[in-house]
Amino acid sequence: MTPEQLRAMVQQLDPAQVAQVAAQLGIDPAVAGQIIEQVMPTIMAGMAGNAQADAGANRLNAALDANHDGSILDDLAGYLGHANWTDGAKILGHVFGVNQQAIAQQIADRLGLDVATVNSALVMLAPVVMGQLGRQRKAGDFDASQLAGLAPVLDQMLGGGLGALFGGQG
């Protein structure tokens, strides 16, 4: 996966889908766009931190192979209208562990939002990120170990500052 592919993944949601996220979160679409721009690379940065170790990369690859083939993207509007909060929470537990609240708080502080809204966005969008990575993996364009190498790009997308929570990148 190239840095360009990574950026394209983060920018995948079209205005109608951003409006769906906004409706689910009860916020203005412009604010939803700001949240999405922070949340999606943050989730990937967490995965990148985990993938720095072979065991973490292997777990992510196994999860992608078993449960996240990218089919969520075939009806992304349908998913966003009826997000799988349970699946999202499980993904975030694996990605961030005990750091989830601190990460949500940092994003909330950065954007001037309440942490509950940011937490909801993280949970809602985690399956989308896994679907994006799963689709790349299914196409043969992705191995989780590559994500660790993209940590600097992710940190740049986030404007720096969250790296310490992800195993030190940034």
Side-chain angles (χ1 to χ4, degrees):
M1 176 185 302
T2 66
E4 293 76 27
Q5 288 173 311
L6 183 66
R7 285 186 182 92
M9 285 173 56
V10 172
Q11 298 166 349
Q12 179 177 346
L13 299 183
D14 65 33
Q17 293 163 338
V18 172
Q20 283 186 286
V21 171
Q24 286 286 328
L25 299 176
I27 59 176
D28 182 84
V31 174
Q34 292 174 335
I35 291 174
I36 292 164
E37 287 176 6
Q38 290 290 303
V39 163
M40 293 184 68
T42 297
I43 294 167
M44 288 184 204
M47 292 175 183
N50 293 341
Q52 289 178 351
D54 287 343
N58 291 338
R59 282 191 299 274
L60 178 55
N61 284 330
L64 294 172
D65 292 341
N67 301 314
H68 302 281
D69 63 1
S71 59
I72 190 174
L73 304 176
D74 295 337
D75 184 20
L76 188 54
Y79 169 77
L80 293 172
H82 306 286
N84 186 335
W85 301 99
T86 302
D87 191 31
K90 287 180 188 176
I91 292 166
L92 293 177
H94 292 291
V95 173
F96 298 136
V98 299
N99 292 329
Q100 182 176 338
Q101 189 64 28
I103 291 164
Q105 187 65 58
Q106 283 194 17
I107 295 170
D109 291 348
R110 182 177 289 187
L111 297 177
L113 300 170
D114 67 282
V115 71
T117 299
V118 173
N119 262 325
S120 293
L122 283 163
V123 172
M124 181 183 205
L125 294 171
V128 175
V129 172
M130 289 293 284
Q132 291 172 325
L133 295 176
R135 180 165 281 172
Q136 292 286 321
R137 182 152 173 83
K138 189 175 176 183
D141 295 337
F142 178 76
D143 181 88
S145 60
Q146 294 173 309
L147 199 54
L150 292 170
V153 175
L154 289 162
D155 192 54
Q156 180 184 33
M157 290 170 77
L158 293 168
L162 291 175
L165 295 172
F166 305 131
Q169 73 260 41

